[in-house]
């Protein structure tokens, strides 16, 4: 783990380019978040079948740690992470932890 200020960030197990055909097409993710140990955690709670996220192998329970080289865990506000994803245009570089996140305190962030 790398310590940045008080946030602890983890390197992604998987990094993939996620591409969509048009701006109207959704990424196919439903996300939730929580803040633990001064770090923002962003977890995938649902992946739509045949979506861009499904095509690259994202699964329910994966923790997204990086979006376009931005370290999610070092962010203070979940809306900042969501804004980076929404601004992605036709392609996003996503990094995630392959394991499944469990526990309590998850708050829904939204479907994208």
């Amino acid at each position: 783990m790398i310590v940045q200020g008080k946030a602890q960030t983890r390197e992604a197990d998987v990094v993939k380019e996620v591409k969509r055909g048009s701006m109207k097409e959704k990424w196919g993710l439903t996300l939730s978040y929580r803040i633990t140990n001064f770090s923002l955690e962003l977890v995938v709670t649902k992946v739509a079948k045949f979506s861009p996220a499904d095509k690259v192998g994202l699964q329910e329970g994966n923790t997204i740690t990086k979006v376009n080289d931005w370290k999610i865990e070092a962010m203070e506000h979940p809306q900042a992470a969501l804004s980076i994803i929404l601004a992605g245009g036709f392609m996003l570089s996503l990094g995630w932890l392959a394991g499944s996140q469990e526990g309590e305190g998850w708050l829904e962030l939204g479907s994208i």
Side-chain angles (χ1 to χ4, degrees), residues 4-77:
Q4 295 180 343
K6 294 181 180 178
Q8 292 184 355
T9 62
R10 297 170 284 185
E11 292 300 317
D13 296 327
V14 180
V15 177
K16 296 236 176 140
E17 299 292 324
V18 185
K19 297 177 184 176
R20 61 183 175 178
S22 73
M23 295 296 283
K24 291 181 181 180
E25 182 182 9
K26 291 190 170 198
W27 296 109
L29 293 171
T30 301
L31 303 170
S32 291
Y33 73 95
R34 69 179 175 188
I35 298 174
T36 57
N37 300 322
F38 304 104
S39 296
L40 175 65
E41 292 183 276
L42 201 58
V43 71
V44 176
T45 54
K46 186 176 180 183
V47 178
K49 283 196 180 280
F50 309 112
S51 68
D54 183 44
K55 290 175 184 173
V56 297
L58 267 165
Q59 298 177 354
E60 188 175 310
N62 290 152
T63 301
I64 296 175
T65 58
K66 189 184 277 192
V67 177
N68 291 344
D69 292 326
W70 290 85
K71 292 188 177 199
I72 299 301
E73 294 166 312
M75 295 181 180
E76 294 181 11
H77 302 287

